[in-house]
Amino acid sequence: MRVLGIVNATPDSFWAGSRFDTVARAVAAGQRMFSDGAWAVDVGGESTRPGAVPVSVEEELDRVVPVVSALAARGRVSVDTRNADVAEAAVEAGATIVNDVSGKLYDVAGRLGVGYIGMHAHTVPVLPDAAPSYVDVCAEVTGYLTSLAEAARADGVRELWLDPGIGFGKNAEDNVRLLRDLPRLCELGIPVALGVSRKSFLGALTGRPVDDRLPASLALLAPALRAGVDLIRVHDVAETVDTIAVLKAVWDL
């Protein structure tokens, strides 16, 4: 399992500890993540938390491109965006992966010859009052991701991850069901990316505020590792890297 560090070049991400609202702070955060063992860092300039206000493409570019450019000299960088113009500018600046919460930019990634993380989401940003209902959340998410993978491959994507979109238009019960179903998703034969770090469903399960959700986040590494998840997207890189190392040593994975 590889670790993707979260660098939010935003003032309004859901956890205050991950808000790096200047280029210098965002770059410093990404550099620390590389030092702590991140395989890559994921730079985003627009929050997609529930109720987030979308930003203009120009503002997102101003936030993202300088950070990507600086960090690309240090290691592998992905850009977390749903905007084609931002994805293209970030790749030009050195990003080699497009992390797309909208599931619509696979054609851009294929054309540019970079990796692509495609995610299932009900709405982006998540509407705070949205309460989607699923007949079978696991079947619906897996079916969507299977179709997304086919479309991405057809458009030339060669390095591909599928993300079930934990927390994006799913309630706590839906999220738990998707996590239990990770082995089936991993059995599709396409690498799976997963983001659970400090998310609100962990607060629903534990009663803890976002500042105190690191233990709950780390607890999910064991089932994710067992299932075969390839890429875990996290705020807390050092703690995640150490936990994975111990789990691998104990289980000989």
Side-chain angles (χ1 to χ4, degrees):
M1 180 187 288
R2 296 178 282 189
V3 175
L4 180 64
I6 299 170
V7 176
N8 290 318
T10 64
D12 60 342
S13 295
F14 76 92
W15 180 41
S18 70
R19 297 171 191 162
F20 308 113
D21 55 357
T22 69
V23 170
R25 291 185 64 207
V27 171
Q31 290 173 336
R32 286 194 301 272
M33 291 176 183
F34 280 126
S35 296
D36 288 339
W39 171 74
V41 296
D42 188 38
V43 179
E46 180 187 50
S47 175
T48 52
R49 63 176 173 78
V53 177
V55 301
S56 68
V57 171
E58 291 74 19
E59 184 171 2
E60 190 179 354
L61 286 167
D62 288 343
R63 293 175 177 181
V64 165
V65 171
V67 180
V68 170
S69 181
L71 291 176
R74 178 69 184 271
R76 193 159 191 196
V77 177
S78 67
V79 57
D80 177 9
T81 187
R82 59 197 179 98
N83 292 308
D85 290 344
V86 176
E88 293 195 21
V91 170
E92 185 176 350
T96 60
I97 302 170
V98 174
N99 180 17
D100 173 25
V101 298
S102 74
K104 298 177 180 177
L105 299 183
Y106 49 84
D107 58 332
V108 176
R111 175 167 50 81
L112 297 177
V114 297
Y116 179 71
I117 303 172
M119 194 185 80
H120 176 278
H122 185 264
T123 57
V124 180
V126 178
L127 300 176
D129 298 324
S133 177
Y134 301 92
V135 175
D136 182 337
V137 66
C138 297
E140 291 181 44
V141 170
T142 299
Y144 170 88
L145 292 175
T146 300
S147 297
L148 177 58
E150 292 173 354
R153 294 293 197 207
D155 269 2
V157 174
R158 294 295 171 258
E159 188 179 27
L160 174 65
W161 292 267
L162 301 177
D163 184 341
I166 299 297
F168 280 79
K170 293 98 174 171
N171 61 31
E173 184 178 353
D174 293 330
N175 291 320
V176 169
R177 287 178 177 172
L178 286 168
L179 291 168
R180 289 175 178 169
D181 201 53
L182 281 174
R184 183 169 66 161
L185 183 58
C186 292
E187 286 169 3
L188 293 177
I190 299 169
V192 170
L194 185 68
V196 293
S197 182
R198 296 182 180 266
K199 287 190 173 180
S200 60
F201 86 100
L202 294 175
L205 295 177
T206 65
R208 302 285 187 185
V210 63
D211 285 346
D212 299 328
R213 292 178 194 159
L214 176 57
S217 302
L218 296 176
L220 290 174
L221 292 174
L225 190 63
R226 275 290 197 187
V229 170
D230 180 70
L231 193 60
I232 189 82
R233 184 177 181 271
V234 302
H235 300 93
D236 306 282
V237 170
E239 295 87 345
T240 301
V241 168
D242 288 354
T243 302
I244 292 171
V246 172
L247 291 171
K248 285 185 173 181
V250 171
W251 285 345
D252 194 27
L253 294 174

